[in-house]
Amino acid sequence: MAKKVITELVDELDPGGLTVGILRGLDFVAPGEWVNITNFDRMISTVTGESDEDLIEQVRDRALELYKDESEGYQRAIWMYQTVDNAASALGTAAMANKIGQDTFLSFLSNVTPKPEKAQSIDLALKVVVEILAFCQVNGIPGDSIGDFLKALGEYGGEAKIRMAALVCLDGLIPLGPNFIKGVGSFLSEMSPKQLEENQAFRSLKNFIPGGDPTEKLEFVGRGFSSVSGWMNNLIDSEGLTQRKVMDNIHGFIEIADDKLDYVGAFLDMSTNYYYHTGVQTTAKRLIDRAFAEI
Amino acid sequence: MKPLNFSRFLIALSLSLTLVLGGCAQPPGETGAEPIPAVPAEVSAPEAPAEVEAIAQEESVKGGSLNTFFPGSEGDFERVFVQEKTGFSQAKLKENGEELGLLSINDLANNPKAIEKFKRSDKELMGYPLVTVGKTQTALLVGDRYQVKVKSNSEAFTPEDREVWLQKFNLTGLESLEN
């Protein structure tokens, strides 16, 4: 399959749907900051503050040139977001496409189980690691530079802040409960490199995770998660985030019985692709910033 | 948007699981059906990029070597580097925490198209060709090779302010920079 160029990737993002609806539900974390731009030229106009068509064309052409060069890191960043958010699986898509709701099928419910806590913990930690690695790829910083990433994290806004807030809410609080930061941290410190190797996303990403062997890579995953723990705790405290508050805010998009909360994480995991969606937007914006500076 | 009924989702999911698992149980070729893709085509990402370090373009300087020519933080103004790529470096300029604009230096050794606009300009600043790009940028060409730009991200940061900040770069140092 031919590789898609950045203009196509942005233009093909969903302007509505469940992912966007849920992210809008989390808007209270960064009120009004995130605008779901799904058109590359409009994104150029927003990022540059320019509306001249000739200028927009020049920026687009330069952005395409830069994106095409794999060594620039933009392609790799988007691939990382996609890989760790391989959630929009055939299952989720099929489930969303089907509107079947006869009671006779309730017996099938026994086939559905929430993702095991350990698997969810690894997924959450890997999403944090991908955020660090993609940040470094996009901004041209060495891949193990957690310090530079943390400085930038404090200034995250727009779709990047919503992505990180969604990470805390949808991959942390809802599926793992209010003590997820401590729980995941402990789990990572006790797990073996072999357990990490069993995770499909890790196997795809491992060549890009700093460390000479699986033990060092696991150590980086633990260090990466730990480094972001303070930021996540601050977000939870400052916004008073609880499972109830998050559910109340996304309630308009999913009707959920209280006793089914443990299924929600699995459902969101399969039916949304918020990491990829906002990751493409972040990468494209930084690419446009650079392209505009270079024309 | 209409809320998604969760019990309906579970039912649909069960059905899908049944379909997928059932599909997997059949040897390929027997059903004649297309296999269900692991990832929907509309979100297909590029193949895993090659695990190589950035290939330095022969004629461009490293981004890091450009950093030293940027204005430093001073008073209420803070300079924060944001991107550093081959032949390119960019920093945010903030005043009391508020973002005013972007500062950048770009080696045009591999981007000659960008030099053309300076040839059409009769303006100069500190002896270097000066152009305004769109409504938000002012640029200088230093040593016929390096493009120094200041961009406004705020209306409070005026074209005059941009020229002031262009002069705060170490332009003569940059002019003498070689590979």
Side-chain angles (χ1 to χ4, degrees):
Chain A
M1 186 174 61
K3 288 178 182 176
K4 291 189 175 178
V5 296
I6 188 67
T7 48
E8 289 175 293
L9 295 176
V10 173
D11 290 350
E12 289 172 5
L13 291 176
D14 198 346
L18 190 67
T19 297
V20 173
I22 291 200
L23 290 176
R24 288 199 175 123
L26 297 175
D27 181 71
F28 69 94
V29 175
E33 277 195 38
W34 178 57
V35 178
N36 183 37
I37 302 176
T38 58
N39 176 285
F40 195 76
D41 283 0
R42 193 152 57 82
M43 188 178 272
I44 292 176
S45 187
T46 303
V47 171
T48 61
E50 303 286 350
S51 53
D52 180 80
E53 283 183 19
D54 179 55
L55 199 57
I56 287 173
E57 190 182 333
Q58 288 180 52
V59 176
R60 188 200 313 130
D61 289 350
R62 184 62 183 160
L64 284 166
E65 279 174 14
L66 293 169
Y67 185 78
K68 194 176 161 189
D69 184 345
E70 280 190 18
S71 72
E72 293 289 354
Y74 301 107
Q75 285 188 37
R76 195 179 295 169
I78 285 179
W79 175 81
M80 286 173 174
Y81 282 121
Q82 168 97 55
T83 300
V84 82
D85 195 18
N86 208 356
S89 61
L91 276 182
T93 307
M96 296 303 297
N98 279 305
K99 298 293 180 191
I100 307 158
Q102 284 87 354
D103 291 342
T104 44
F105 294 110
L106 281 171
S107 59
F108 286 114
L109 291 185
S110 58
N111 290 331
V112 183
T113 50
K115 192 187 287 186
E117 202 167 300
K118 286 180 180 176
Q120 178 60 38
S121 298
I122 297 174
D123 280 5
L124 172 61
L126 285 177
K127 278 186 174 168
V128 169
V129 167
V130 159
E131 187 66 27
I132 296 169
L133 298 180
F135 169 84
C136 293
Q137 287 292 329
V138 167
N139 298 298
I141 293 163
D144 56 355
S145 188
I146 291 176
D148 285 321
F149 167 72
L150 284 179
K151 266 190 267 175
L153 180 61
E155 298 193 5
Y156 265 25
E159 77 293 325
K161 187 162 184 187
I162 286 288
R163 176 172 60 255
M164 294 308 282
L167 178 71
V168 169
C169 296
L170 309 181
D171 279 287
L173 266 178
I174 288 181
L176 296 170
N179 298 318
F180 80 90
I181 296 175
K182 202 174 167 193
V184 172
S186 304
F187 169 66
L188 291 173
S189 65
E190 290 162 10
M191 83 183 292
S192 67
K194 190 167 172 288
Q195 279 177 291
L196 191 58
E197 289 272 3
E198 287 164 5
N199 181 284
Q200 193 185 333
F202 173 77
R203 288 202 300 271
S204 299
L205 290 162
K206 67 178 180 183
N207 289 342
F208 303 106
I209 296 176
D213 57 40
T215 305
E216 286 180 14
K217 290 177 193 291
L218 172 59
E219 195 270 332
F220 183 84
V221 173
R223 198 152 50 87
F225 183 79
S226 165
S227 72
V228 177
S229 297
W231 185 89
M232 292 194 287
N233 270 319
N234 282 342
L235 183 75
I236 290 169
D237 289 347
S238 63
E239 298 297 335
L241 293 177
T242 60
Q243 284 181 319
R244 185 75 268 149
K245 185 170 180 180
V246 174
M247 292 313 303
D248 284 348
N249 277 278
I250 62 174
H251 191 258
F253 305 100
I254 327 169
E255 288 173 6
I256 305 146
D258 283 350
D259 63 346
K260 298 288 186 195
L261 203 58
D262 54 344
Y263 286 87
V264 176
F267 162 60
L268 292 172
D269 193 33
M270 284 187 288
S271 54
T272 65
N273 64 340
Y274 77 90
Y275 229 62
Y276 170 78
H277 186 105
T278 58
V280 168
Q281 289 175 330
T282 298
T283 306
K285 283 184 174 179
R286 296 293 74 79
L287 178 63
I288 290 169
D289 263 337
R290 178 174 170 195
F292 189 36
E294 291 197 351
I295 63 165
Chain B
M1 186 170 68
K2 193 177 177 225
L4 192 87
N5 184 294
F6 193 61
S7 58
R8 283 189 178 200
F9 155 70
L10 289 176
I11 292 162
L13 176 61
S14 307
L15 279 173
S16 309
L17 267 174
T18 311
L19 289 168
V20 171
L21 294 174
C24 291
Q26 302 248 16
E30 285 191 12
T31 62
E34 288 289 319
I36 296 172
V39 178
E42 67 267 23
V43 292
S44 291
E47 293 159 20
E51 188 195 350
V52 292
E53 287 305 309
I55 302 160
Q57 296 172 60
E58 270 184 41
E59 295 178 22
S60 292
V61 297
K62 287 184 178 175
S65 63
L66 301 171
N67 292 356
T68 180
F69 304 107
F70 278 70
S73 299
E74 56 177 68
D76 295 335
F77 295 97
E78 186 188 3
R79 178 214 58 197
V80 183
F81 284 107
V82 288
Q83 283 204 58
E84 186 182 304
K85 295 287 178 77
T86 304
F88 178 74
S89 185
Q90 188 172 51
K92 272 185 197 171
L93 178 64
K94 296 161 74 171
E95 184 180 17
N96 295 319
E98 293 292 317
E99 190 174 326
L100 287 179
L102 290 169
L103 315 173
S104 62
I105 301 178
N106 168 214
D107 183 354
L108 299 181
N110 285 294
N111 186 16
K113 219 182 334 181
I115 293 181
E116 294 302 314
K117 61 183 177 291
F118 293 103
K119 292 179 180 167
R120 297 190 296 269
S121 170
D122 54 6
K123 290 185 185 168
E124 284 191 348
L125 185 69
M126 296 177 77
Y128 301 107
L130 175 113
V131 296
T132 302
V133 181
K135 295 175 290 187
T136 59
Q137 288 184 333
T138 309
L140 283 182
L141 180 64
V142 175
D144 293 326
R145 172 167 178 173
Y146 298 103
Q147 173 165 242
V148 181
K149 267 192 180 178
V150 179
K151 173 181 180 277
S152 298
N153 281 352
S154 155
E155 284 184 7
F157 195 51
T158 66
E160 293 73 29
D161 293 331
R162 297 201 295 262
E163 291 194 13
V164 169
W165 278 89
L166 279 172
Q167 295 176 66
K168 291 177 189 277
F169 282 80
N170 178 359
L171 301 173
T172 49
L174 179 63
E175 190 171 9
S176 60
L177 176 67
E178 291 177 9
N179 282 346

